[in-house]
Every structure is written in structure tokens, then in C-alpha cells.
Amino acid sequence: MANQAKPSTGEQAKQHALAQLRQAILGGEMSPAQRLVENELAEQFGVTRASVRAALIDLAGEGLVERIPNRGSRVRVVTVEEAVAITECRMVLEGLCAAKAAVEATDDQLTELAEIGTAMGKAVADGEPMTYSGLNQELHAKIRQFSGQQVAVELLERLNAQLVRHRFQLSLRPGRPQQSVNEHLAMIEAIRARDPQAADAAARAHLASVIDALRE
Amino acid sequence: MANQAKPSTGEQAKQHALAQLRQAILGGEMSPAQRLVENELAEQFGVTRASVRAALIDLAGEGLVERIPNRGSRVRVVTVEEAVAITECRMVLEGLCAAKAAVEATDDQLTELAEIGTAMGKAVADGEPMTYSGLNQELHAKIRQFSGQQVAVELLERLNAQLVRHRFQLSLRPGRPQQSVNEHLAMIEAIRARDPQAADAAARAHLASVIDALRE
DNA sequence: GCGAACAAGATTGTCAACGATTTCGTTCAC
DNA sequence: GTGAACGAAATCGTTGACAATCTTGTTCGC
């Protein structure tokens, strides 16, 4: 059971525990609403309870775990309503990023986006939903990056981390990639055309569609 | 110098320290970039270093303090560029909230907004910038609240907390309230008219104007 | 048999002391 | 006089133990 990774020198124990825990939660190794007992985690990661504690406080700030005073921590479960609310926020923030990216991105970066677009088309045509899901992530990440809007990037990464479980469920839905790919291509085209308004509209339209899909 | 408040029973030491520290930072009692030494704060608040430490980790998650490994914590300074980026995010998020508030708010709540609007007009006419600033805060808070968008509310409160220093500086600028009040009234009118698109546009226009003012 | 008081176990919150790292002032060689 | 090496002070990171709190299972009275 011991999941011990090397406590390599120079790496602070707390950051070690933080990385391990975050990875475990994001990787889906923790069941939803699972209790996170400080002592168990400390032994599992080979660090002291204080380090685990600090990591848990950090993760609570990121919204990945829920801490109740004197009653411990657990993996936070995101209801469908919350997922919708989160995606609404993503909608406007990614719209902002797309608009800024349309203005700020270099020509090389626009080429990168185009390449991801063709790869996405291929993945859908080949019927590889997992590949598509990865490209999806990559595309959104690159658009965020190219916008140069650091604050929005941080907010979006925080929000995205809370959606791991829902995203999984969504990308495996039959027919979903086929619809989604066109919306993504529209975003890419608008950004490559350096049209901020169109980029914002395309990003919003895409995430509005995601919201519809989330609601089933 | 001892700022000791009662360590009232039932109140956890960490939360006590957290509240004290947050208030001190938001209240402007800490100079920008001031070093926050754990031992000093522990003695000042009458709690142990571990509690102060936990509080500092929390505040770092909120973006109010900056923590550098092995080198301590300090009050985070928000540059003008960062303030602009934060306000850009506020722009789209408050637009979302205004649009949702236009749909979701009850008639009673719309009346509350109208009352704040008239009070703002009076404060400007009477030349009371501090009263106006308070009403400003109150108006934005109420619109957020009425939107029912809990995720956006939390993000906006976090972002707003980082702007205390800049907000201060801005509201005392001569002529600024006069321009700002009209934008606020436009927002209120759009929401009262239950027009989501107009509400979004008005909120964005207002914060775009704030961005211009921030850049001087 | 049922519910409330009680006690034992588990878990988190707090504490004081120790060890590691960084910073800053001093000294020494050139 | 300048710069690097050294060392002391300050501060953060970590540790193990103790206290407070909550949960759970049991017992007692009715």
C-alpha cells in the first residue's frame, strides 16, 4: 500500500506531500467524498502530519478538498449544478482569453493552434475519444497561455482542476466529440483571423454547448 | 503594540489568527511588501506559530500574502499591470453576474438596487467620496449576491480583496465619482429592466472605464 | 424494547523544542 | 581598497507529544 516516492533532497516535505496528494485526487485514485485522515496520508507519503496538514490547507484553498473544523478533510464532490456554475465562469473567462489571444498571439503560436485543430479532426475521424480529450485540454491550455492574461490563467486552471470527474464522463459520451470539434475549429479560425469579438463569441458558444451537455 | 483580542472559547486559534491577519492586511495596517515574521505575529495575536503558519498558508491561497520557501511571507504587492489584469477578469465575471441578476433577482431586490442608486447620486452631489465608495462596494456586492452564481461570487470576492490599495487610491481621485455614478446607474437600470444583455454590457463598460482610470 | 447518558476510541488542533536554510556582517588574503 | 570566505544571528521547516473535540458503541433507566 505504501506509495512512497523518493523524498529527494532539496524538495520540501510539504511540497512533496502536496504534489502527491494533488496527483492522487486529479488522477482519480481517491473515491469521491473519501475521508483524508492526516495520519494515514502522512504514513503513506513518508512525511510528517504537519506537512500533510499544510498540503491539505493548500488544496482546500484550491477547492479540491473540503475541510471541516475538528472533523477532518475529504475529497470535495462537485455536483452537476456546481459544475454548471463553474463552466459558466469558464465561459466568460475563456472568452476573455480567446479575445486577447486573437490580438496578442504570435504567428508561430497561431500555427500551433492550427496544428492542434487538424489533429483533433483526425482523432475524431479515427474514433479515438481519449486522444481527442487530450488535444482538447491542450488546445484550451494553449489559448489561455497565448492570451498573456496571467490572472485569468490561474483562475481557469483552478476551476478546471475541480472538473476532472465531470470531464471524464463527458468526453466518453457518444457523438459528443463530433459536435465539439466544430466548435473548437470555429474558435481556432476566429483567433487565426485575429478577430477578438468572433473569438470571444466562439469560446462562449463552445462552453454554452458544454453546459447543455453537462445538464444531459 | 500587543493587539491582543480575547481568545474567546470555542474560537479556534488558527481562525482567530486568520481573521486578525486578514483584517490587518485589508484594513491597510500593513505596509505593502511588509515582512510577516511568524514569531512576531504569533506573539502579537497570542497564538502559537503553528496557527500563524496555517493562517499564512490560507492567505497565500487567497493571494493576499506571498510565501517564499525558507524566506518567509510578506504582504503581496499588486502592481498596476496586475490590477488591470484582475479588473479585466472582474469585467467578464461581473458581466455574467449582472446578466444573471437581471433574470434571477426578485422585485424586492430590484428595489434595493434602485435605493442604492439614488443614495449614490446624493453622495456624489454632496461631495462625499467615502460614502460613495462604500455604496459602490455595496452595490457590486448586492449584484453578485442576486445573481445566485456562487462560484462567480467567490472568485470576485477573492479578486476584490487583492485590490484594496488600488481602490482606495481610485475613489479619492477628483472627478472620478461623477463619471462612475452614471455607469452605475446604467447598470441598475439595465438590471431593473430585466435585460441581461444590456446588464452585461453596462457592467463591462463600467469596469472598462475603471481600467482606463487605473492606467491613469 | 427504546431512548438518553456515558465512556472509550479515533481524529484533529495546539504546543514547545530541535534542525536546516538563508541572510548579513566580519575578517582575511590579494 | 576590493572581493571572497567564513561565521553568527535570524527565520523557517520539521518533529513528536499533548490537549481538545468529535464519533461510536455500550449501558442504564424507564
Side-chain angles (χ1 to χ4, degrees):
Chain A
M1 181 72 82
N3 199 1
Q4 223 116 293
K6 55 181 177 302
S8 61
T9 58
E11 189 182 47
Q12 305 258 29
K14 175 218 159 185
Q15 304 220 344
H16 178 68
L18 186 71
Q20 292 264 329
L21 242 178
R22 187 186 282 124
Q23 184 182 338
I25 295 175
L26 294 182
E29 299 171 33
M30 303 289 195
S31 342
Q34 176 170 345
R35 283 199 66 190
L36 299 172
V37 179
E38 298 179 358
N39 259 327
E40 292 177 8
L41 297 174
E43 193 173 356
Q44 190 173 341
F45 296 150
V47 298
T48 52
R49 204 160 70 86
S51 303
V52 172
R53 219 176 148 66
L56 285 172
I57 294 177
D58 254 20
L59 290 173
E62 295 179 26
L64 288 180
V65 314
E66 196 175 15
R67 275 172 66 77
I68 306 172
N70 287 317
R71 296 187 51 184
S73 312
R74 53 179 61 197
V75 185
R76 196 169 91 93
V77 288
V78 176
T79 67
V80 173
E81 303 145 51
E82 280 175 312
V84 169
I86 290 173
T87 309
E88 282 181 350
C89 291
R90 280 185 60 202
M91 187 169 66
V92 294
L93 288 169
E94 295 215 17
L96 174 67
C97 284
K100 296 209 78 161
V103 177
E104 303 286 342
T106 66
D107 289 342
D108 286 348
Q109 290 173 333
L110 293 187
T111 307
E112 286 186 54
L113 295 185
E115 285 167 3
I116 295 180
T118 59
M120 284 180 116
K122 185 168 184 305
V124 170
D126 295 357
E128 294 181 359
M130 294 315 284
T131 307
Y132 178 75
S133 180
L135 289 168
N136 185 347
Q137 290 275 98
E138 199 183 335
L139 173 64
H140 284 269
K142 280 213 186 297
I143 293 176
R144 289 199 294 265
Q145 229 182 304
F146 297 165
S147 74
Q149 232 288 15
Q150 195 56 34
V151 177
V153 168
E154 279 166 26
L155 292 180
L156 282 169
E157 281 174 357
R158 197 194 297 253
L159 292 177
N160 267 312
Q162 299 178 19
L163 293 179
V164 268
R165 207 159 293 276
H166 290 275
R167 173 173 19 256
F168 240 53
Q169 200 176 335
L170 205 63
S171 61
L172 291 178
R173 205 130 107 206
R176 176 80 197 135
Q178 283 77 1
Q179 179 184 352
S180 157
V181 72
N182 287 323
E183 298 164 3
H184 282 134
L185 292 178
M187 284 172 55
I188 294 174
E189 279 316 303
I191 295 174
R192 290 186 64 199
R194 298 209 176 277
D195 183 340
Q197 288 198 346
D200 177 80
R204 283 174 180 247
H206 169 50
L207 284 164
S209 149
V210 171
I211 290 176
D212 287 343
L214 273 176
R215 289 203 171 109
E216 246 119 330
Chain B
M1 183 69 84
N3 199 2
Q4 222 116 291
K6 57 183 176 302
S8 62
T9 57
E11 191 180 46
Q12 305 261 25
K14 174 218 159 185
Q15 304 221 343
H16 178 68
L18 185 73
Q20 293 264 329
L21 242 179
R22 186 186 283 124
Q23 184 182 338
I25 294 176
L26 294 183
E29 299 170 33
M30 304 289 195
S31 341
Q34 174 169 347
R35 284 200 63 191
L36 299 172
V37 179
E38 298 180 356
N39 258 327
E40 291 177 8
L41 297 174
E43 193 173 357
Q44 190 173 344
F45 297 148
V47 298
T48 52
R49 208 160 68 89
S51 303
V52 171
R53 216 176 151 66
L56 285 172
I57 294 176
D58 253 20
L59 291 173
E62 295 179 26
L64 288 180
V65 314
E66 197 175 13
R67 275 172 65 77
I68 305 172
N70 287 317
R71 297 186 50 184
S73 312
R74 52 178 61 199
V75 182
R76 202 182 134 224
V77 288
V78 176
T79 66
V80 173
E81 302 145 52
E82 280 175 312
V84 169
I86 290 173
T87 309
E88 282 181 351
C89 291
R90 280 185 61 201
M91 185 169 70
V92 294
L93 287 170
E94 296 216 17
L96 174 67
C97 283
K100 296 208 78 161
V103 177
E104 303 284 343
T106 66
D107 289 343
D108 286 350
Q109 290 173 334
L110 292 187
T111 308
E112 286 185 54
L113 295 185
E115 285 168 1
I116 295 180
T118 58
M120 284 180 115
K122 185 170 183 303
V124 171
D126 295 357
E128 294 181 359
M130 293 315 283
T131 307
Y132 179 74
S133 179
L135 289 168
N136 185 346
Q137 289 276 98
E138 198 183 336
L139 173 63
H140 284 268
K142 279 212 186 298
I143 292 176
R144 288 200 295 265
Q145 226 181 303
F146 297 165
S147 74
Q149 232 288 18
Q150 195 56 35
V151 177
V153 168
E154 279 166 27
L155 292 180
L156 282 169
E157 281 174 357
R158 197 194 298 253
L159 292 177
N160 267 313
Q162 299 178 19
L163 292 179
V164 268
R165 207 158 295 274
H166 290 274
R167 173 173 20 257
F168 240 54
Q169 197 177 336
L170 204 63
S171 61
L172 291 178
R173 205 129 106 208
R176 177 80 197 136
Q178 283 78 359
Q179 180 184 353
S180 157
V181 71
N182 287 324
E183 298 163 4
H184 281 133
L185 292 178
M187 284 172 54
I188 295 175
E189 279 316 302
I191 295 175
R192 289 185 65 198
R194 299 209 176 276
D195 183 341
Q197 288 197 349
D200 177 79
R204 281 174 181 248
H206 168 50
L207 285 164
S209 148
V210 171
I211 290 176
D212 286 342
L214 274 176
R215 288 202 172 110
E216 244 120 332

